[in-house]
Amino acid sequence: MGRRLTATNADAEESLDQPKTAKNQSKAVEAPQEAGLEMKRDREKRTNRHQSATAQTPVTSSTWTIENSEELYRINGWGEPYFSINAAGHVTVSPQGDRGGSLDLYELVNSLKLRNLNLPLLIRFSDILEDRIERLNAAFAKAIARYNYEGAYRGVFPVKCNQQRHLVESLVKFGKPYQFGLEAGSKPELMIALANLKTPGALLICNGYKDREYVEMAILAQQLGKIAIIVLEQIEEVPMVIAASRKLGISPVVGVRVKLSSKGIGRWGTSAGDRAKFGLTIPEILQTVDMLREADLLDSLQLLHYHIGSQISAISVVKDAIREASQVYVELAKLGAGMRYLDVGGGLGVDYDGSKTNFYASKNYNVQNYANDIVAEVKEACVERGIPMPTLISESGRAIASHQSVLVFNILSTSDVPTGAPEPVREEEHLIIRNLWETYDSLTMDNYQEAYHDAAQFKEEAVSLFNFGYVSLTERARAERLFWACCQKILEIARQQDYVPDDLEDLEKIMASIYYINLSVFQSAPDSWAIDQLFPIMPIHRLDEEPTKRATLADLTCDSDGKIDQFIDLRDVKHVLELHPLHADQPYYLAMFLGGAYQEIMGNLHNLFGDTNAVHITLTPNKGYQIDHVVKGDTMTEVLGYVQYDSEDLVESIRQQTEQALQEKRISLQDSQLLLQNYERSLSRYTYLSS
Ligand SMILES: *Cc1c(COP(=O)(O)O)cnc(C)c1O
């Protein structure tokens, strides 16, 4: 573990290798050889949308439609077929894709709130999970039929992606028709997998670092009827497996993880390559073959595995890896190993920004292209060398688990840069103020760039004059107001331009409102903080209304990193999100999508904000829904317990202090009781603010 949080700077730089600006150019979209119709359609759609976006006519509030919101938040790009917007301007969820009913997310949240399930709230749609499993299996089935591949596909879900019990249980259930298995990356995950996977014929892939106990359990599991495959990741594990097998008198099923020299790209590019953390080099694999042959266990070596990193955004990388791995596979078979399985690991990407490009937050291929390329490549290598075609395994985590959960949270308040026309300057006001007024007053389309520099300089001068006592506090406030007024005017002009000069790029950010969210980024979207991952975020209602504000999001923690100021965009990323002004006494809900993989378990208790409430929803045949499980978020007593505080001791301490204060007549009896009541009640409450 810790793999993803310890990404080095080198990793980060690699992810920038792809030219971001080229994101929307057609050359960034590599058409896979076997590109299905879907891919072509996607591309056409993308181009069309792009054209309509450039042929902009200014949209006024009264003409704003849900189509404008669709385009702005790119919901069709990343949300299809599960998320869209209805005529009421609310986000809807179609958990069974285009084959079933849909739910109004805003109404669902309101009805959950009536059941005392407060925000922030994680809503899991079990039907989406089922649909993802079906799609992945259908894609491989289609590819296998298309290429007359003489082998099967048996996917496994990598438990590390989301270990929550209800999710793993549903996954095993939904996977049954496909003999979908599990992959364990550690000893505790092996515990989960061994106990939960009972599907006959499904595979249990045992990865990660192993000790004797781990290996023995995996071997003995065969006698429970499980196909547990021990994947050797370190050369030291070979003698351990041989010894355990001798001791138990059972032949293990063994695989090797190869360090391919085909490199991934992006954040996890270094998961592959000769110096990767896991896996055996080619010489080590040959050494393993020798050791197994000597122990008369070469027949047990049945699987070849590789994993070149997560979120592979370019299909060319997938192809390079499978080409190299196929050759290793056939060579191992030629050497006499009992090869039967080829496991291509994870990496199947998710299109977080909906751009369908090789940008790091996207991918330039679909599941069908992925399956086609793997099946075709393996078949070719096997046919050429006369080797039987293996059962294909993939360990797709992100692609299975990301879509099923939606995190809904509310806005607590906002902070805006003051705007509106300033009062005209008077003759007797300070020169610096008159200069700022002059800049503001004479600002036009022709001089806005120069005016920005003037205004910034005058404002700086005003501050330094203030520091030397030449400008009063009132005058400084006036200068700042005028500066913001200039910026506002400049921004309005800049937004009308096709091209915004570089030095004005920060202006949107400077002028953005801050929306305070009832959420901890560290708990609920750790990858957004740790590795700048992008998730689609948007309001779930008022989408028939123009979002006139530009905002960044600030979370509840008192950490300045607890913010979100990178949002998905068609090109690159944008630093402000379009949102609606708050209405007094009306809640405003946002949702973060596609966060169902990795975020929950990597989330931490920074500032002691605990797990959020979570509910599991399934559709019912009569177009309704049912709540399968409610997993209440942490209470304060629970999070305080994690750091060894006992809530009874805490209450007792407060009680003693109030008694003391009572005796010394520093507090009234009534106030002391109020304090105690609040303290005690809070302990059993949610760690987030009540909405
Ligand atoms: C993390 C991991 C996966 C899952 O990768 P995704 O990109 O989420 O599909 C699969 N296999 C191994 C060995 C992993 O470490």
Side-chain angles (χ1 to χ4, degrees), residues 240-260:
M240 196 154 54
V241 169
I242 294 174
S245 144
R246 284 217 180 103
K247 178 181 150 194
L248 301 170
I250 306 169
S251 296
V253 184
V254 176
V256 279
R257 174 165 177 171
V258 58
K259 281 184 185 171
L260 293 182

Side-chain angles (χ1 to χ4, degrees), residues 342-539:
L342 178 49
D343 175 357
V344 303
L348 178 55
V350 166
D351 196 356
Y352 294 97
D353 72 3
S355 67
K356 301 187 169 66
T357 60
N358 68 352
F359 192 55
Y360 66 82
S362 187
K363 60 182 172 89
N364 66 1
Y365 59 95
N366 63 25
V367 181
Q368 192 62 58
N369 306 141
Y370 178 81
N372 286 352
D373 281 344
I374 287 168
V375 169
E377 205 64 61
V378 177
K379 176 175 175 174
E380 195 184 314
C382 289
V383 167
E384 219 161 78
R385 306 289 297 277
I387 299 287
M389 295 172 213
T391 295
L392 295 170
I393 303 167
S394 79
E395 304 176 346
S396 307
R398 189 183 293 275
I400 293 280
S402 292
H403 299 72
Q404 49 83 34
S405 74
V406 177
L407 178 70
V408 181
F409 51 96
N410 57 307
I411 300 293
L412 296 165
S413 62
T414 67
S415 150
D416 294 289
V417 167
T419 53
E423 262 178 53
V425 80
R426 294 180 311 276
E427 278 291 310
E428 67 277 14
E429 285 194 79
H430 197 288
L431 177 64
I432 197 75
I433 294 174
R434 279 181 285 149
N435 283 340
L436 273 162
W437 170 261
E438 179 61 26
T439 310
Y440 171 79
D441 202 35
S442 61
L443 226 163
T444 64
M445 196 94 102
D446 301 320
N447 69 3
Y448 74 99
Q449 197 175 353
E450 187 190 342
Y452 177 61
H453 295 289
D454 288 348
Q457 198 187 334
F458 291 140
K459 185 197 146 214
E460 237 169 72
E461 269 174 46
V463 173
S464 98
L465 286 167
F466 172 79
N467 291 346
F468 287 107
Y470 297 121
V471 153
S472 72
L473 197 62
T474 318
E475 285 170 324
R476 179 172 164 181
R478 181 104 163 97
E480 288 191 14
R481 284 283 279 123
L482 280 162
F483 171 71
W484 294 123
C486 290
C487 289
Q488 180 67 28
K489 224 175 178 183
I490 294 161
L491 192 59
E492 277 158 20
I493 296 171
R495 280 184 191 156
Q496 310 281 318
Q497 313 296 313
D498 296 331
Y499 165 78
V500 179
D502 284 352
D503 42 355
L504 293 185
E505 270 202 339
D506 278 344
L507 205 52
E508 283 280 9
K509 230 170 142 176
I510 296 172
M511 296 299 288
S513 305
I514 301 172
Y515 274 52
Y516 295 94
I517 57 179
N518 194 16
L519 192 74
S520 158
V521 167
F522 303 93
Q523 176 61 260
S524 293
D527 276 347
S528 146
W529 155 68
I531 57 171
D532 288 332
Q533 189 178 323
L534 297 173
F535 294 101
I537 296 173
M538 64 180 285

Side-chain angles (χ1 to χ4, degrees), residues 207-341:
N207 284 336
Y209 292 109
K210 301 165 194 76
D211 58 12
R212 215 177 70 188
E213 209 171 48
Y214 182 127
V215 170
E216 283 182 9
M217 280 193 288
I219 295 178
L220 287 168
Q222 289 185 48
Q223 298 187 323
L224 302 180
K226 296 178 201 288
I227 312 176
I229 306 180
I230 304 170
V231 180
L232 302 166
E233 311 222 20
Q234 308 276 316
I235 194 82
E236 291 75 22
E237 290 169 2
V238 185
M240 196 154 54
V241 169
I242 294 174
S245 144
R246 284 217 180 103
K247 178 181 150 194
L248 301 170
I250 306 169
S251 296
V253 184
V254 176
V256 279
R257 174 165 177 171
V258 58
K259 281 184 185 171
L260 293 182
S261 62
S262 321
K263 280 214 177 65
I265 50 169
R267 175 72 54 188
W268 294 280
T270 48
S271 303
D274 301 332
R275 300 306 306 149
K277 178 173 161 190
F278 294 108
L280 303 176
T281 59
I282 299 291
E284 283 170 335
I285 288 182
L286 290 182
Q287 208 182 326
T288 304
V289 167
D290 288 341
M291 287 193 270
L292 289 173
R293 184 184 285 124
E294 210 155 290
D296 209 15
L297 284 175
L298 194 50
D299 249 4
S300 290
L301 176 54
Q302 301 183 1
L303 176 142
L304 177 71
H305 165 57
Y306 66 89
H307 174 70
I308 55 168
S310 206
Q311 183 62 12
I312 296 172
S313 44
I315 189 77
S316 57
V317 173
V318 172
K319 280 194 209 182
D320 288 348
I322 189 65
R323 190 163 300 155
E324 186 182 353
S326 300
Q327 291 308 322
V328 178
Y329 181 89
V330 293
E331 291 286 339
L332 282 173
K334 287 273 176 208
L335 284 174
M339 300 308 286
R340 289 179 60 185
Y341 305 101

